[in-house]
Amino acid sequence: MSSNPHRGGAGSSLYGGAAPYRSSDGLSTRTATGSEEIQLRIDPMHSDLDDEITGLHGQVRQLKNIAQEIGSEAKFQRDFLDELQVTLMRAQAGVKNNIRKLNLSIIRSGNNHIMHVVLFALLCFFILYMWSKMFKR
């Protein structure tokens, strides 16, 4: 293809780098009237192109199926992430609610729990003191 004298000329922008009238592989192009479409005519002596086109068609079909599978997987994962985000928001709201209730109950009970802990500690020290006095003799 690099030996084609028409390559890179005036037709390269219109035909995407192809020769404007005839390529070396038996394809010829001509523009359709009134549009930017290109018509291809394949010479019958190049029948191996049909096999190439059939192979390419199969590959395009496989790529299309893969792209559809990727799209469905992306949709599934997006839906899963949306559900996960909703669940996380509900869990955060529940934790926040429980912390608020715990703080309110601590405020309502006041310092009674601290006083109970201090009294228990004093009682334990008193019992240890009395026990040590009894067994010292």
Side-chain angles (χ1 to χ4, degrees):
M1 279 273 193
S2 64
S3 65
N4 193 347
H6 298 291
R7 188 166 205 125
S12 65
S13 64
L14 181 62
Y15 298 109
Y21 299 110
R22 183 154 182 90
S23 71
S24 63
D25 292 336
L27 297 175
S28 63
T29 60
R30 60 184 165 179
T31 57
T33 58
S35 70
E36 292 185 16
E37 295 179 2
I38 298 174
Q39 295 179 354
L40 289 176
R41 186 181 65 197
I42 302 174
D43 290 341
M45 59 187 268
H46 296 284
S47 64
D48 58 339
L49 291 177
D50 291 336
D51 296 334
E52 289 291 325
I53 291 172
T54 303
L56 289 174
H57 186 268
Q59 289 177 353
V60 167
R61 188 180 311 121
Q62 285 178 340
L63 288 175
K64 179 182 174 186
N65 291 338
I66 290 171
Q68 288 174 344
E69 289 178 18
I70 289 172
S72 64
E73 181 68 22
K75 183 184 180 307
F76 171 77
Q77 289 185 3
R78 184 183 63 233
D79 293 342
F80 178 73
L81 286 175
D82 289 342
E83 289 178 25
L84 190 62
Q85 187 175 11
V86 168
T87 303
L88 183 64
M89 289 171 54
R90 286 181 184 164
Q92 283 177 337
V95 168
K96 187 183 267 187
N97 191 24
N98 287 337
I99 288 175
R100 184 178 50 82
K101 286 179 181 179
L102 186 61
N103 285 336
L104 286 175
S105 69
I106 289 172
I107 290 171
R108 282 186 198 146
S109 67
N111 292 332
N112 284 341
H113 66 283
I114 294 175
M115 187 173 67
H116 289 130
V117 170
V118 170
L119 286 176
F120 179 74
L122 287 174
L123 180 67
C124 288
F125 284 128
F126 179 73
I127 291 172
L128 285 174
Y129 176 74
M130 293 302 283
W131 189 45
S132 69
K133 289 290 182 182
M134 278 204 281
F135 290 111
K136 237 181 189 185
R137 297 183 191 166

